[in-house]
Amino acid sequence: MSDGTIVRSPASARASSGSPRESLAGTVEEVLAATPVIDVHTHLFAPSFGELGLWGIDDLLTYHYLEAEFFRFSSLRPSEYWTLSKQQRADEIWQTLFVENHPISEATRGVISVLDALGLDTAPSSLAPLREFFVEQKLAEYIPRVFDLAGISSVVMTNDPLDPAEADVWNRDREPDERFHSALRLDRLVNEFPEHCALIASQGYGADTDLGCRALSEIRRFVVDWCKRMDAVYMAASLPDTFAFPDGGIQARLLSGAILPACLELDVPLALMIGVRRQVNPALRLAGDAAGLADLRAVENLCRDYADNRFLVSVLSRENQHQLCIIARKFSNLMPFGCWWFLNNPSIVEEITRERLEMLGTSFIPQHSDARILEQLIYKWRNTRRTLAPILAKTCELAVEDGRPITHCDIHQIVAHLFRTNFERWTGRHAPTLESS
Ligand code: RAT
Ligand code: ZN
């Protein structure tokens, strides 16, 4: 079918040709499957980061989304759980969530979906055969296989220069890997500045907790240097539900005095992930964070007062999503992205994505995976495509009904905006494409 072919709505396609592939829904599905994604936010690492990169069955099972679910079913206390080895923890989670209970939640189905995609038994009586499979994999061939199964061309990592394990790698010589872009994560700097001020100073920067003019310009120099060292495609910080701007507090002063000017100097966007309530249950460690409703006036103020900066914004509370769309309609320097963390469930993704399409057309980035374990890319992107397909088809169908023909080329362009070019435009980077693109 040529690119200019008009794609009919399902009803008219059935009436004329009877072929479901001719239908809008079929075409949208095909285009979604064939368009490689740039995954704009993950916690994955390039192979040169060694042990920091997580993959395989034990890492998949000890994912913190599953740990949170495990404690709902198991009588094991968190303090006992943390004394176990990773393999023992994985065994406990498998037994509890996959053998004694039914893996029907989003996170448990994710593991099943990964095993299935890799051609593995989804209900083995022990993890031994699965462990054997993963031990045999060589990352050099395995990463391209996983990327291929997930339909992605590249991912963006999360790189915090104040994380000692990461800084070690960055301070060594490493080959750049075009499949793994970096994002300069500023959580420790923005949210725990007093605790990290000395570490910044130890790297030769005149950081000071007084946050006076000199200290701010030195912190800006620190941020610029690290952004260059990492060749970061954007800078990012997660922020609590209580985040306010401007409020004269440490976060706001760091943003206005150091980070936003550094973004402008380097022409990179700033990603703000707003609404996390860290460690409401510290016993659960990574699984102990929660979400809260934020006051998005902070985003309005930032977008208005820093009109030359570009912002990528994701908000964690379901109740904040409509407000974010409204703000994006007011400020063209704001790009909403992703259905973050607790929102990444089909029912909520569907609602948010429909709302965004209705209010913003294609001018947003619908999803990121947030994958921490390599193989999660497979299920998270499979799920995203599955949820997006009927929504996009319905949207196109409405346009046809309203009198605007939709061509194959239109559908390719719509999906390309959502999966790739909005991000490329925002970051000014063009990531490598797969052969299939
Ligand atoms: O989704 C997650 O894995 C969370 O733990 C967070 O990492 C969150 O995505 C973040 O980037 O802060
Ligand atoms: Zn994340």
Side-chain angles (χ1 to χ4, degrees), residues 64 67-69 71 78 81-82 279 281-289:
H64 69 89
E67 287 175 332
E69 291 175 30
F71 290 117
Y81 174 82
W82 297 117
Q279 296 298 284
N281 185 356
L284 301 191
R285 300 194 181 175
L286 258 188
D289 299 339

Side-chain angles (χ1 to χ4, degrees), residues 120-121 124-134:
L120 299 168
D121 186 355
S125 49
S126 96
L127 294 178
L130 300 180
R131 288 188 176 123
E132 264 167 46
F133 167 84
F134 288 105

Side-chain angles (χ1 to χ4, degrees), residues 275-314:
V276 56
R277 293 171 56 229
R278 297 278 180 203
Q279 296 298 284
V280 299
N281 185 356
L284 301 191
R285 300 194 181 175
L286 258 188
D289 299 339
L293 185 68
D295 182 349
L296 297 189
R297 281 181 179 82
V299 175
E300 285 173 9
N301 295 339
L302 279 162
C303 290
R304 189 188 50 249
D305 297 348
Y306 294 84
D308 292 332
N309 281 84
R310 294 187 303 286
F311 298 92
L312 285 153
V313 176
S314 211

Side-chain angles (χ1 to χ4, degrees), residues 41 43 64-65 185 238 273 278 286 340-341 370 372:
H41 170 60
H43 297 264
H64 69 89
Y65 290 24
R185 183 73 175 236
S238 77
M273 306 171 76
R278 297 278 180 203
L286 258 188
W340 180 23
W341 200 343
D370 235 316
R372 282 177 183 266

